[in-house]
Every structure is written in C-alpha cells, then in structure tokens.
Amino acid sequence: MAAQTESPLAGEDAGPRASGRRRQTLILAAVLLAVFVVPTSISGTGVALPYIGSDLDAGLVPLQWVVNAFNVAFACLTLAWGSIADIIGRVRAFALGATVYAAASLVSVFAGDVILLDVARALAGIGGAAIFSCGAALLSTVFEGPARGRAFALFGTVAGLGVSFGPSLSGVLVESAGWRWVFAVHVIVLALVLLAVPAMGRAVRENRVEGARVDVLGSALFVLAMLLLTTGIAQGSQWGWAGPGVLGLFAGTIAVLALFAVVEKRVEHPMLDLGVVADRRFLALCLVPVAGSFGFVTMLTYLPGYLAAAGGYSSGAAGAVMLMLTVPMLVLPLVAAKLVAKGVSAMGIIRLSLVLLVVGVVGLQLFEPGVNLWLVAAPMLVTGTGYALAAGLVDGQALELVAPERAGMAAGFLNTMRLGSEAVAVAVYGSLLATVISGRTRDDVAGYAGAGDPAAVAGTVASGNISGPAGRVAEARRGSFTDLLVHAYDGAFHTVLWVLGGVCLVLLVLVVALSGGRGTERAKTR
C-alpha cells in the first residue's frame, strides 16, 4: 500500500497559509528553471556542432551523436524515471536527475575529445529524463485545483519557450563566448536548482509506493524497443523502407514491446502499470503531444532549413520568420489555464488545439520559394496556436486522472509519449524528405559530373544544404543543378507536409474517440 497523506505540503496545517504559498513558489521556480534547461539543450545544441567539430576535429558521425546521444537517452529513460520517482520519492529523484545533468554538462565543458563529449551528452539525457518526469510529478503532488492548472500552464510555457528559443540562445553564447559556454550555463542554472533541494525535501510530503523495487527487466526491454524503433526510422532512407534491415528493426520493435507488455503484467511493481494506460481519457491526453510532435516540432526543426535552402534566407532572417510559429507559446498556455479556471471545458480546448494544428500544417502548403511572408503568417500562427493551447494543459488534466502514488509513472509515460514522439517525428520527417528528394533527383544527378552519389546528395539536401552539392559540379552547370535541387527540395517538403497533416488528423480522430467515453475517476493502483 502507498503511504497516504491529506496535504502535499508538510506542516501546512500548523503554519500560516502564506508560508505554504512560499514553499509552493520555491518548488515551482526550481522545477521551471530545470525544465527550461532541458528543451533548450535539445533544440540548441545543434547550433554549436560546426564549432565543436572544428575545435575537436570530429568526424560527421560522432559529431551527430552530440545531439543524438542526448535525445535517445532522454526518450528511452523518461518512463523509467517516472516509476523510480514513485519508489524513492519525487524530490530525491528530481535532485538525482539534476545532479547527473549538471555533472555531465561539466564534463562537456572540459571535454577534449568528441567521444567523451558524446558519453557526457548521453548521461545528460538520462538526467534530463528525470527532470521532466519527476518535475511534472512534483507539481502534481504540490498543487491542486486551479493552482495546479496554472502551474502546468507555466510548465508547458517554459518547456515550449526552451524548445523555441534554444537555438537563438545557443547562437548568442557560441558567438560571444564559445561553444563550451552552452554547457557551462546548464551547470550554473542547475547548481541554483540544487541549492533549493533541501527546502523542497522539507516542504513536500511524498506518496511513495512502499516496498517496491525498480523494474530493471521492464526498463531494459523498453529502452531496447525505443532503440530499435528510432534506428529503423533513421535508416529508412538509407537502407530502403521495405528493405530487410529496416523491416527487421520494426519487427524487432513489435516483438520487444509485446514481451514488455507480458513482463509488466507479471511483475509485482512494474515500470508501467498497464491499468493506467487502459484509462481511455488518460490515453487520449497522452496522444495530444504526439500530434504536436508531428505538426509543430518537425516544423520547428526543419522549416529554418527550408527557408535557407529554398527561400534563400540568412540564418538570422530565418530565425525571425520562425517567431511567427513560436510567439503563441508566450501567452496561450496561461490563457488556456485561465479559461479552464473560468469553467471552459479543458477537453474542448484540447480538441480545438488539434483542429488548429491540422489546419495550420495543411496551410503551410502555401510555402514556396520567394513566397510573400504575409501569406504564410496565418498558417504559421495557427500551427503555433494549436501547439500552445494544449501545452501544459494536457499534463495537468492527465495527472488528475491518476492516483497520487502513481503520478510519477503517469508523468513518465506522458513525457515518454511527448519526447519519444518528438524523436520519432523528427527522424520520420528527415528520412521521408531524403527519400522523396532521392526519388525526384536520382536520374538527373547522375548526369552532373562530380555531383557524387545521388543518395548522399539527397541526404545533404534534406538537411538544408544545397550549396554543398552544387559546389561540386562545374561552374557552367552549377546554376541548373541548383535549380534542380531547389525544385526537388520544395516538392519533397510539400509531400511530407501532407503526410504530417494526415498523421495529425488521424490523431485528432483518435483523441476525440477515446475522450468521448467515460474514463475511470482515477486509475487504480495494483
């Protein structure tokens, strides 16, 4: 049985109400500071890669793993940390994650070898997974009612701002102080967070699952499934989507997930209680950030490349254009929380957000080389609005459906869906883009001497780099080759947009269908 408590803040009955609010503010500030660091690192580290590669004389593959190691570790361990938090306590797990992240970032600051940097970034991803899962569980424990809605609105706002402005902040640090300061700032911020941990520990009364042990086998199987899935998606454009290697990885993913489900049903204290996922409303809410990953995060990642490669924008100009996509994150999560506090249906707002996401993504079809920005401002703002309205609101609503002693597990699963789907969506976008570009250019590229392997050219163009392949052909034919690549890139971009819009539409239908039925009042504990 889990330990029961009437108040989430220790000693609140004895002390004045104002003291309880101060403790809540301290916990909220510490969680939000830590949460801001994580998505900033996810989206911003890529800006530093050229400088890291030059300084450490790193090859392409190990350099890419500076980003990939963090993302994969993050996606794979988020669910496990949620379960661990329910066992050892959320404050302790949160502090452990922040410590691991800070230590790994400190190693990154002084790394003299790219392999050491890759290892440090993987460890930082493990710490980041703890910060997200345990931070959300802490807010669910400490806040109730409208205050919980406001807290999760801030959680969603800060996470969204970290993703949106991470590249800009990292760019300023790289240009003004060097790439190592991207990681040094993480150390400084998390050191401030850790200073607040003793006070957090005294303030929070935990709901732990007594006598439980960490589900090592279940955790290992889930990590293996995530690795197989992300590898299969990433290699789809290189090995062929119907090739034996990719199909084998996907089949392995299904087999391992099936084994994972069997193990979780038989383990006394599973990493994921399948009864929690069986709640229709909870599952519906967990699918909402998946739609955001395909409709918003992919654009956040790849639209700047399109603007530069097909539109001829400088990096600064492309960043300015991207503000139309990200500016709704500044205000709309809090607006959504206030509307819910005034009696507006939270599920109604969430469904509206998904409709706007579908409309916005389809509207981005208006993009073309040389397009008037006023024409595309509306679909960009609509897409950003669709993402921002649900940010934070989903977390609070989902965790209200779960028993307090399972809040860590539930937060872990929700954030696994969010962060895992981001990794999958970005990989799917990049791989599909390269596949379509390759199909459009394979025969023509062969006719340009010096262009190189058509598949390699397609992969380079998909990353937004057209000048590189164009620079390898004779100057007399460079103009026509550039036009070929721009046209192929533009066409592939629009093809993939239709795929993303279709995915978001399917998820909208699923969310509506699942949330229409009556869910359990609270998911039962084992």
Side-chain angles (χ1 to χ4, degrees), residues 21-61:
R21 286 197 296 267
R22 285 196 297 270
R23 292 195 294 269
Q24 287 182 327
T25 301
L26 171 67
I27 293 168
L28 179 62
V31 169
L32 294 183
L33 265 179
V35 163
F36 182 74
V37 167
V38 178
T40 300
S41 180
I42 291 173
S43 65
T45 305
V47 174
L49 289 184
Y51 302 88
I52 295 172
S54 175
D55 189 25
L56 300 182
D57 192 25
L60 178 61
V61 172

Coordinates of all heavy atoms in Angstrom, one line a residue, residues 21-61:
R21 N 2.3 29.0 0.5 CA 2.4 29.5 -0.8 C 3.8 29.8 -1.2 O 4.2 29.6 -2.3 CB 1.5 30.8 -0.9 CG 0.0 30.5 -1.0 CD -0.7 31.7 -1.5 NE -0.6 32.9 -0.6 CZ -1.5 33.1 0.3 NH1 -2.5 32.4 0.5 NH2 -1.3 34.2 1.1
R22 N 4.6 30.2 -0.2 CA 6.1 30.5 -0.5 C 6.8 29.2 -0.8 O 7.6 29.2 -1.7 CB 6.7 31.2 0.7 CG 6.4 32.6 0.9 CD 7.3 33.3 1.8 NE 7.2 32.8 3.2 CZ 6.4 33.2 4.1 NH1 5.6 34.2 3.9 NH2 6.4 32.7 5.3
R23 N 6.4 28.1 -0.1 CA 7.1 26.8 -0.4 C 6.7 26.3 -1.8 O 7.5 25.8 -2.5 CB 6.7 25.8 0.7 CG 7.3 26.1 2.0 CD 7.2 24.9 2.9 NE 5.9 24.6 3.3 CZ 5.2 25.1 4.4 NH1 5.8 25.9 5.2 NH2 4.0 24.7 4.6
Q24 N 5.4 26.5 -2.1 CA 4.9 26.2 -3.5 C 5.7 27.0 -4.6 O 6.1 26.4 -5.6 CB 3.4 26.4 -3.6 CG 2.6 25.4 -2.9 CD 1.1 25.7 -3.1 OE1 0.7 26.8 -3.2 NE2 0.3 24.6 -3.1
T25 N 5.9 28.3 -4.3 CA 6.6 29.1 -5.3 C 8.0 28.7 -5.4 O 8.5 28.6 -6.5 CB 6.5 30.6 -4.8 OG1 5.2 31.0 -4.7 CG2 7.3 31.5 -5.8
L26 N 8.7 28.3 -4.3 CA 10.0 27.8 -4.4 C 10.1 26.5 -5.2 O 11.0 26.4 -6.1 CB 10.6 27.5 -3.0 CG 11.9 26.8 -2.9 CD1 13.0 27.7 -3.4 CD2 12.2 26.4 -1.5
I27 N 9.2 25.6 -5.0 CA 9.2 24.3 -5.7 C 9.0 24.6 -7.2 O 9.6 24.1 -8.1 CB 8.2 23.4 -5.2 CG1 8.6 22.9 -3.8 CG2 8.0 22.1 -6.1 CD1 7.6 22.2 -3.0
L28 N 8.0 25.4 -7.5 CA 7.6 25.8 -8.9 C 8.8 26.4 -9.6 O 9.2 26.1 -10.7 CB 6.4 26.7 -8.9 CG 6.0 27.2 -10.3 CD1 5.5 26.0 -11.2 CD2 4.8 28.2 -10.2
A29 N 9.5 27.4 -8.9 CA 10.6 28.1 -9.6 C 11.8 27.1 -9.8 O 12.4 27.1 -10.9 CB 11.1 29.2 -8.6
A30 N 12.0 26.2 -8.9 CA 13.1 25.2 -9.1 C 12.8 24.3 -10.3 O 13.7 24.0 -11.1 CB 13.4 24.4 -7.8
V31 N 11.6 23.8 -10.3 CA 11.2 22.9 -11.4 C 11.3 23.6 -12.7 O 11.8 23.0 -13.7 CB 9.8 22.3 -11.1 CG1 9.3 21.6 -12.4 CG2 9.8 21.4 -9.9
L32 N 10.7 24.8 -12.8 CA 10.7 25.5 -14.1 C 12.1 25.9 -14.6 O 12.4 25.8 -15.8 CB 9.9 26.8 -14.0 CG 8.4 26.6 -13.7 CD1 7.6 27.9 -13.7 CD2 7.8 25.6 -14.8
L33 N 13.0 26.2 -13.7 CA 14.4 26.5 -14.1 C 15.0 25.3 -14.7 O 15.7 25.3 -15.7 CB 15.2 27.0 -12.9 CG 15.4 28.4 -12.6 CD1 16.2 28.7 -11.3 CD2 16.0 29.1 -13.8
A34 N 14.9 24.1 -14.0 CA 15.5 22.9 -14.5 C 14.8 22.5 -15.8 O 15.5 22.0 -16.8 CB 15.3 21.8 -13.5
V35 N 13.5 22.6 -15.9 CA 12.8 22.2 -17.1 C 13.2 23.1 -18.3 O 13.3 22.6 -19.4 CB 11.2 22.3 -16.9 CG1 10.5 22.3 -18.2 CG2 10.8 21.1 -16.0
F36 N 13.5 24.4 -18.1 CA 13.9 25.2 -19.2 C 15.2 24.8 -19.8 O 15.4 24.9 -21.0 CB 14.0 26.7 -18.7 CG 14.4 27.6 -19.8 CD1 13.5 28.0 -20.7 CD2 15.7 28.2 -19.8 CE1 13.8 28.9 -21.7 CE2 16.0 29.1 -20.8 CZ 15.1 29.4 -21.8
V37 N 16.1 24.3 -19.0 CA 17.4 23.9 -19.4 C 17.3 22.7 -20.4 O 18.0 22.7 -21.4 CB 18.3 23.4 -18.2 CG1 19.6 22.7 -18.7 CG2 18.7 24.7 -17.4
V38 N 16.4 21.8 -20.1 CA 16.4 20.5 -20.9 C 16.0 20.8 -22.4 O 16.7 20.4 -23.3 CB 15.5 19.5 -20.2 CG1 15.4 18.2 -21.1 CG2 16.0 19.1 -18.9
P39 N 14.8 21.4 -22.7 CA 14.5 21.6 -24.1 C 15.4 22.6 -24.8 O 15.6 22.5 -26.0 CB 13.0 22.1 -24.0 CG 12.9 22.6 -22.6 CD 13.7 21.8 -21.8
T40 N 16.0 23.5 -24.0 CA 16.9 24.4 -24.6 C 18.1 23.6 -25.1 O 18.6 23.9 -26.2 CB 17.4 25.4 -23.5 OG1 16.3 26.2 -23.1 CG2 18.5 26.4 -24.1
S41 N 18.5 22.6 -24.4 CA 19.6 21.8 -24.8 C 19.3 20.9 -26.0 O 20.0 20.8 -27.0 CB 20.1 20.9 -23.7 OG 21.1 20.0 -24.1
I42 N 18.0 20.4 -26.0 CA 17.6 19.6 -27.1 C 17.6 20.4 -28.5 O 18.1 19.9 -29.5 CB 16.1 19.1 -26.9 CG1 16.1 18.1 -25.7 CG2 15.5 18.4 -28.1 CD1 14.8 17.6 -25.3
S43 N 17.1 21.6 -28.5 CA 17.0 22.3 -29.7 C 18.2 23.2 -30.0 O 18.4 23.6 -31.1 CB 15.7 23.2 -29.7 OG 15.8 24.2 -28.7
G44 N 18.9 23.5 -29.0 CA 20.0 24.5 -29.2 C 21.4 23.9 -29.4 O 22.3 24.6 -29.9
T45 N 21.6 22.7 -29.0 CA 23.0 22.2 -29.1 C 23.4 22.1 -30.6 O 24.6 22.2 -30.9 CB 23.1 20.8 -28.5 OG1 22.6 20.9 -27.1 CG2 24.5 20.2 -28.5
G46 N 22.5 21.8 -31.5 CA 22.8 21.7 -32.9 C 23.5 22.9 -33.5 O 24.4 22.8 -34.4
V47 N 23.2 24.1 -32.9 CA 23.9 25.3 -33.4 C 25.4 25.3 -33.1 O 26.2 25.8 -33.9 CB 23.3 26.5 -32.6 CG1 24.0 27.8 -33.0 CG2 21.8 26.7 -32.9
A48 N 25.8 24.6 -32.1 CA 27.2 24.6 -31.7 C 28.0 23.5 -32.5 O 29.2 23.5 -32.4 CB 27.4 24.3 -30.2
L49 N 27.3 22.6 -33.2 CA 28.0 21.5 -33.8 C 29.2 21.8 -34.7 O 30.2 21.3 -34.7 CB 27.0 20.6 -34.5 CG 26.0 19.8 -33.7 CD1 25.2 18.8 -34.5 CD2 26.8 18.9 -32.6
P50 N 29.0 22.8 -35.6 CA 30.1 23.2 -36.5 C 31.3 23.6 -35.7 O 32.5 23.3 -36.1 CB 29.6 24.3 -37.4 CG 28.1 24.1 -37.3 CD 27.8 23.6 -36.0
Y51 N 31.1 24.4 -34.6 CA 32.3 24.8 -33.8 C 32.9 23.7 -33.0 O 34.1 23.6 -32.9 CB 31.8 25.9 -32.9 CG 31.1 27.1 -33.6 CD1 29.8 27.1 -33.9 CD2 31.9 28.2 -34.0 CE1 29.2 28.2 -34.5 CE2 31.3 29.3 -34.6 CZ 29.9 29.2 -34.9 OH 29.4 30.3 -35.6
I52 N 32.0 22.8 -32.5 CA 32.6 21.6 -31.8 C 33.4 20.8 -32.8 O 34.5 20.3 -32.4 CB 31.4 20.8 -31.2 CG1 30.7 21.6 -30.1 CG2 31.9 19.5 -30.7 CD1 29.4 20.9 -29.6
G53 N 32.9 20.5 -34.0 CA 33.6 19.7 -35.0 C 34.9 20.3 -35.3 O 35.9 19.6 -35.4
S54 N 35.0 21.6 -35.5 CA 36.3 22.3 -35.8 C 37.2 22.2 -34.6 O 38.4 21.9 -34.8 CB 36.0 23.7 -36.2 OG 37.2 24.4 -36.4
D55 N 36.7 22.5 -33.4 CA 37.6 22.5 -32.3 C 38.2 21.2 -31.9 O 39.3 21.0 -31.5 CB 36.8 23.1 -31.1 CG 37.7 23.4 -29.9 OD1 38.9 23.6 -30.1 OD2 37.2 23.5 -28.8
L56 N 37.3 20.1 -32.0 CA 37.7 18.8 -31.6 C 38.1 17.9 -32.7 O 38.4 16.7 -32.5 CB 36.5 18.1 -30.8 CG 36.1 18.8 -29.5 CD1 35.0 18.0 -28.8 CD2 37.2 19.1 -28.6
D57 N 38.1 18.5 -33.9 CA 38.5 17.7 -35.1 C 37.7 16.4 -35.2 O 38.2 15.3 -35.4 CB 40.0 17.4 -35.1 CG 40.5 16.9 -36.5 OD1 39.9 17.2 -37.5 OD2 41.5 16.1 -36.5
A58 N 36.3 16.6 -35.1 CA 35.4 15.5 -35.1 C 34.9 15.1 -36.5 O 34.6 16.0 -37.3 CB 34.3 15.8 -34.1
G59 N 34.7 13.8 -36.7 CA 34.0 13.4 -37.9 C 32.5 13.6 -37.9 O 32.0 13.9 -36.8
L60 N 31.8 13.4 -39.0 CA 30.4 13.6 -39.1 C 29.6 12.8 -38.1 O 28.7 13.3 -37.4 CB 29.9 13.4 -40.5 CG 28.4 13.6 -40.8 CD1 28.0 15.1 -40.4 CD2 28.0 13.3 -42.2
V61 N 29.9 11.5 -38.1 CA 29.0 10.5 -37.3 C 29.2 10.8 -35.8 O 28.2 11.0 -35.1 CB 29.4 9.1 -37.7 CG1 28.6 8.1 -36.7 CG2 29.0 8.8 -39.1

